[in-house]
Amino acid sequence: DTAVSQTPKYLVTQMGNDKSIKCEQNLGHDTMYWYKQDSKKFLKIMFSYNNKELIINETVPNRFSPKSPDKAHLNLHINSLELGDSAVYFCASSQGAAATYEQYFGPGTRLTVT
Amino acid sequence: GQNIDQPTEMTATEGAIVQINCTYQTSGFNGLFWYQQHAGEAPTFLSYNVLDGLEEKGRFSSFLSRSKGYSYLLLKELQMKDSASYLCAVRLNTGNQFYFGTGTSLTVIP
């Protein structure tokens, strides 16, 4: 019954490694997002996918790449991890572009880079 | 760029009323949303405003003035479980974009 799910919930890895975080939504939504929440709790949008098309790409390093195999999934792949990548990453989805559509968030993935 | 400001921290007493303000400067405004986030959890939707005025949902109300770039979230009959961060988010009318403020950490004391 989980609306938006992410795996893994915790990820501890060393600098320089490559890792992926998976996200799935079963709400039938058209748009999915990735957010990064830093230690100061600031939630910053990273990417948005609408019907498998990237429509937002904020000023994030190209080490981060979103991959959407279908409308229900938006995975985040990170190359050459750095200490500054340590944060909580949230996946979210919304129904569409109308103003009334709020976002539903996944439980978050806490990434720690050592 | 987009600029969204909220107070960093607030404290209020159980049973009281608290107002959390949010001011914004954005291009292409298409709605303002409020989310609640408990420590270690995901944000959850509380309310949204597209037009000017007050929207009421139980103990929570949200107000919007588009001409002033201002919104507030009003929480009535505060309960201890209302201790959380409250995030103001602006939706733009291009590309389905959301921008969040830095959040207001509310502590409810007995």
Side-chain angles (χ1 to χ4, degrees):
Chain A
D1 286 316
T2 303
V4 183
S5 59
Q6 294 178 229
T7 54
K9 188 171 177 63
Y10 299 96
L11 182 55
V12 181
T13 188
Q14 292 183 329
M15 287 176 57
N17 285 347
D18 301 338
K19 291 294 180 184
S20 292
I21 307 172
K22 295 185 177 181
C23 178
E24 176 181 3
Q25 54 96 2
N26 62 7
L27 298 167
H29 285 171
D30 290 332
T31 307
M32 297 182 71
Y33 311 80
W34 275 106
Y35 286 88
K36 178 181 179 181
Q37 189 168 46
D38 58 27
S39 57
K40 296 182 178 180
K41 307 302 181 186
F42 180 53
L43 200 61
K44 181 178 179 181
I45 191 166
M46 299 178 71
F47 301 105
S48 170
Y49 256 73
N50 188 340
N51 288 329
K52 300 178 65 175
E53 180 181 357
L54 179 67
I55 59 173
I56 300 175
N57 187 345
E58 289 295 301
T59 55
V60 298
N62 57 14
R63 298 181 295 104
F64 291 80
S65 55
K67 298 193 189 310
S68 179
D70 55 57
K71 196 173 78 166
H73 297 84
L74 183 64
N75 304 324
L76 182 65
H77 189 74
I78 315 169
N79 291 326
S80 303
L81 278 156
E82 300 178 357
L83 291 176
D85 298 333
S86 294
V88 180
Y89 291 83
F90 286 101
C91 176
S93 71
S94 67
Q95 189 168 350
T100 56
Y101 295 140
E102 72 270 24
Q103 294 182 318
Y104 293 81
F105 284 81
T109 296
R110 181 173 295 277
L111 172 65
T112 304
V113 182
T114 62
Chain B
Q2 322 301 330
N3 191 29
I4 303 170
D5 289 317
Q6 304 177 234
T8 304
E9 295 179 335
M10 297 184 72
T11 302
T13 305
E14 190 177 14
I17 299 173
V18 70
Q19 178 174 311
I20 302 174
N21 296 325
C22 171
T23 58
Y24 63 90
Q25 290 178 308
T26 62
S27 54
F29 176 85
N30 194 25
L32 189 138
F33 293 73
W34 284 95
Y35 286 81
Q36 180 191 60
Q37 185 178 24
H38 284 100
E41 297 182 9
T44 56
F45 169 75
L46 288 178
S47 70
Y48 80 93
N49 297 73
V50 177
L51 302 176
D52 291 353
L54 188 68
E55 294 286 339
E56 297 187 77
K57 292 181 68 175
R59 294 191 299 115
F60 297 88
S61 302
S62 58
F63 172 84
L64 175 67
S65 170
R66 289 172 296 171
S67 62
K68 296 182 179 179
Y70 168 70
S71 173
Y72 66 72
L73 179 69
L74 196 69
L75 291 77
K76 304 175 186 176
E77 302 170 14
L78 278 172
Q79 302 174 9
M80 298 301 290
K81 68 178 182 180
D82 295 331
S83 292
S85 286
Y86 291 85
L87 309 175
C88 168
V90 172
R91 182 175 190 143
L92 305 185
N93 59 12
T94 55
N96 204 20
Q97 302 174 52
F98 283 83
Y99 288 89
F100 281 80
T102 52
T104 299
S105 178
L106 173 67
T107 301
V108 180
I109 58 176

